[in-house]
Amino acid sequence: MLGKLILLLLQIAVAWLVAPVLYRALPGTGFELLVYAVLFAIIVFLTGVLGAQVLQGVGGPSSATLSAALILALIVAAVLTFIPGLVPNIPNVSFTNLGLVLAGAIIGYWIKR
C-alpha cells in the first residue's frame, strides 16, 4: 500500500515537472491541452513502469493501462478545449485546466491497473 502511494505521488510530481519542459521542446501546436494530455499520459505510464521495477509490492502496468490513461486524459482535455463553459474556469490561472488533465491521466492509469 505504501509503495502504491509513493508511486502515485511520484507520478504526479514527475508529470507536473517534466511535461512543460517537453512541451516547450515541441514545435508550435494549436491545441495545448490535447498535447499536454498525451504528454501526461505517457509520462505517468513510464513513471509507473520504472516505479514498478524499483518499488516492492507494485505491479507493472500493461499497454491497456497506457490506453486508459491516454483516453481519459484526452477526454478531459477535449471537454476543457471544446466546451469551456461546461467546467467553471478560474480567470488567469492555468493550473486548473492542466491539473484536471493530469488528474484524468492519473485516474485512467489507476483505474485500469
Side-chain angles (χ1 to χ4, degrees), residues 41 44 47 87:
V44 164
T47 305
V87 179

Side-chain angles (χ1 to χ4, degrees), residues 15-40 43 98:
W16 190 255
L17 295 174
V18 172
V21 174
L22 292 177
Y23 182 79
R24 284 191 297 269
L26 295 174
T29 59
F31 298 105
E32 176 184 1
L33 286 179
L34 296 175
V35 174
Y36 267 109
V38 172
L39 290 175
F40 281 148
I43 292 168
L98 288 179

